[in-house]
Amino acid sequence: MASHRKSRPAGTRVAGIRTPALATAALTSVALLSQTANASPSTDDKPSLEEVEKKVDDLYRQAESATEKYNSAKDKTTKQRKRVDTLLDDVAKRTQKLNEAREELGRNAAAQYRTGAAAPDTATFLLADNPQDYFDQTQLMDRMTGRQKESVDDYFTQQSETMEKRREATQSLETLTDSQNDLKSAKATVQQKLSDARELLSKLTAEEKARLAAIEKRKQEEAARKAAELARQQAEAERQREEAAAAQQQESTQPPAESGTSDSSSSSDSSYATKAEKTLAFARSQIGKPYVWGATGPDSYDCSGLTQAAWKAAGVDIPRVTYDQVNAGTTVPLSSAQPGDLVFFYDDVTHVGIYIGNGMMIHAPKPGAYVREESIYYDGESSIHSVVRPA
């Protein structure tokens, strides 16, 4: 299945690695008592804590990638099934009309022989693969009225169209089968990756989980620091834009007729802000609901299911999966991100969140987690792929 990609903003980056939140509040409390963030080197065949952490992160990433492939295959399967049902219904109706037309032609053929010495072989006609041959061989066409000939022409047209629809339905059924196989494969991959991650985590001791929680806490603190810095930079950039606009207004010598561009731009910004406000209101109301792969609400979501539902609440339809959502709008620099914009992550564009300002977003993070507000740097600056404004 082909992935839809969008050119990234200037700059080089590599895929980031997320660290799942592994500890409860109690484990976090224990973690704060521990001053050792890194595991000691392994003395046996057991992997180090860092190796387990990286492996679990990789498995979650692979599961999320497979989830988007599952979503895409599911979307295609649903659309293809509707197409197949429509085609099969059309073929059934056409076949019925064709049979009625065939019977009518049989009656016409019989009528042409009523004054002749022999009766027509009606059974042969009704069972013929090609009625045209029957008519040609018996020279019935020469003896038919204009209306009867029109009936024959109509029959042959219907026959040709019905055969074409049957071929189209057969091809659509084959495509549907392929989509269903892709769906099963993606589902199996998600389940296997999550199972592998759970197995690794189940082997950790309470102490190891506490140390991982301490590492996670420090990463969250660093992400929050970067978010605050981005917020400061955006505020400064906005202040400079306002000063520049004020200075330009004072020095402007343009006639009033040319001021419409500014009014139009202001109106457009206002319209987007209104939609973004509705989007964020919906997203905030979903905070605390569980991440479930393949879910689109209302009780649970995966990352792209949440963003699609949030923007739909604002009256804007965006595609189902991240591969398509990243192309459903205008790419803007991170420094110009506005509330409501979609922030995409990783080179394979397999995660997305809704920007809320100040370097923060609302997103459905991963299996085992819940919809929440979090820094867009939750998995490192290099994990950010692009920012897209949907409307």
Side-chain angles (χ1 to χ4, degrees):
M1 178 181 63
S3 296
H4 298 284
R5 302 295 178 86
K6 182 174 215 128
S7 2
R8 301 194 301 266
T12 302
R13 53 175 210 85
V14 295
I17 300 174
R18 277 178 300 164
T19 303
L22 303 175
T24 61
L27 287 176
T28 302
S29 298
V30 173
L32 295 177
L33 299 177
S34 174
Q35 299 301 315
T36 305
N38 300 317
S40 301
S42 298
T43 57
D44 51 25
D45 292 337
K46 183 178 179 180
S48 69
L49 187 59
E50 290 84 356
E51 290 171 338
V52 172
E53 179 191 26
K54 185 179 185 307
K55 181 63 175 177
V56 169
D57 288 346
D58 288 344
L59 287 170
Y60 274 122
R61 282 276 297 108
Q62 292 167 25
E64 190 164 41
S65 178
T67 293
E68 288 305 303
K69 290 179 181 178
Y70 170 87
N71 291 338
S72 180
K74 184 178 180 180
D75 191 45
K76 289 180 180 178
T77 298
T78 300
K79 292 177 181 178
Q80 190 64 26
R81 183 177 289 114
K82 290 180 180 178
R83 175 171 173 75
V84 167
D85 290 344
T86 299
L87 285 170
L88 291 178
D89 184 59
D90 188 21
V91 167
K93 291 178 180 178
R94 287 177 180 275
T95 299
Q96 181 177 353
K97 290 182 179 180
L98 190 63
N99 289 336
E100 293 173 354
R102 181 186 286 264
E103 292 175 2
E104 177 64 22
L105 289 181
R107 288 191 290 271
N108 287 339
Q112 299 303 319
Y113 277 92
R114 284 175 185 165
T115 57
D121 187 358
T122 305
T124 299
F125 168 75
L126 293 176
L127 296 175
D129 291 331
N130 189 347
Q132 178 68 63
D133 293 341
Y134 181 87
F135 273 82
D136 290 343
Q137 291 169 7
T138 57
Q139 299 179 341
L140 286 176
M141 292 295 289
D142 294 337
R143 295 152 53 189
M144 282 186 175
T145 65
R147 185 170 183 179
Q148 289 173 331
K149 288 181 179 180
E150 288 178 3
S151 179
V152 172
D153 290 339
D154 180 61
Y155 171 82
F156 292 138
T157 298
Q158 288 190 42
Q159 182 189 49
S160 176
E161 291 177 351
T162 301
M163 292 177 65
E164 179 59 33
K165 286 296 180 181
R166 285 175 179 170
R167 283 192 292 269
E168 190 175 348
T170 299
Q171 292 173 352
S172 292
L173 281 169
E174 292 174 353
T175 301
L176 176 60
T177 299
D178 291 340
S179 295
Q180 290 172 330
N181 289 337
D182 290 342
L183 189 64
K184 291 178 182 178
S185 176
K187 181 178 181 179
T189 299
V190 173
Q191 292 174 332
Q192 184 61 55
K193 299 302 180 183
L194 294 180
S195 176
D196 291 345
R198 286 192 294 268
E199 182 179 357
L200 281 172
L201 293 174
S202 69
K203 296 178 180 179
L204 295 178
T205 65
E207 180 184 357
E208 288 172 329
K209 290 180 180 178
R211 296 199 338 246
L212 280 179
I215 295 172
E216 171 66 12
K217 185 174 185 297
R218 283 194 296 276
K219 287 185 176 180
Q220 290 177 348
E221 290 172 348
E222 175 62 16
R225 185 191 66 76
K226 288 185 176 180
E229 175 60 21
L230 175 62
R232 188 194 66 76
Q233 293 174 356
Q234 290 178 331
E236 176 61 20
E238 179 62 23
R239 184 188 66 79
Q240 292 178 1
R241 281 194 295 270
E242 290 177 353
E243 289 181 353
Q248 183 178 10
Q249 184 175 6
Q250 291 178 354
E251 299 174 0
S252 176
T253 57
Q254 295 179 349
E258 296 185 13
S259 64
T261 302
S262 177
D263 293 341
S264 175
S265 176
S266 176
S267 174
S268 176
D269 290 343
S270 175
S271 174
Y272 181 77
T274 300
K275 293 175 183 177
E277 184 177 355
K278 293 179 181 179
T279 298
L280 292 177
F282 178 90
R284 287 192 174 96
S285 70
Q286 309 309 306
I287 290 176
K289 293 184 178 180
Y291 176 105
V292 175
W293 66 272
T296 58
D299 300 320
S300 58
Y301 298 89
D302 62 19
C303 66
S304 56
L306 175 64
T307 52
Q308 183 188 48
W311 268 102
K312 186 175 182 179
V316 178
D317 291 325
I318 62 175
R320 170 65 180 94
V321 297
T322 54
Y323 312 132
D324 297 327
Q325 288 183 4
V326 75
N327 293 314
T330 304
T331 301
V332 298
L334 179 59
S335 59
S336 301
Q338 296 179 11
D341 292 349
L342 300 181
V343 185
F344 294 89
F345 298 85
Y346 312 116
D347 283 334
D348 54 359
V349 197
T350 51
H351 189 67
V352 62
I354 306 171
Y355 192 65
I356 61 177
N358 297 324
M360 302 292 288
M361 67 178 173
I362 297 174
H363 70 148
K366 59 184 177 294
Y370 298 84
V371 176
R372 66 193 183 203
E373 291 188 12
E374 194 164 24
S375 167
I376 61 174
Y377 299 105
Y378 80 113
D379 199 14
E381 186 173 0
S382 63
S383 69
I384 298 175
H385 177 276
S386 57
V387 179
V388 172
R389 190 157 298 156

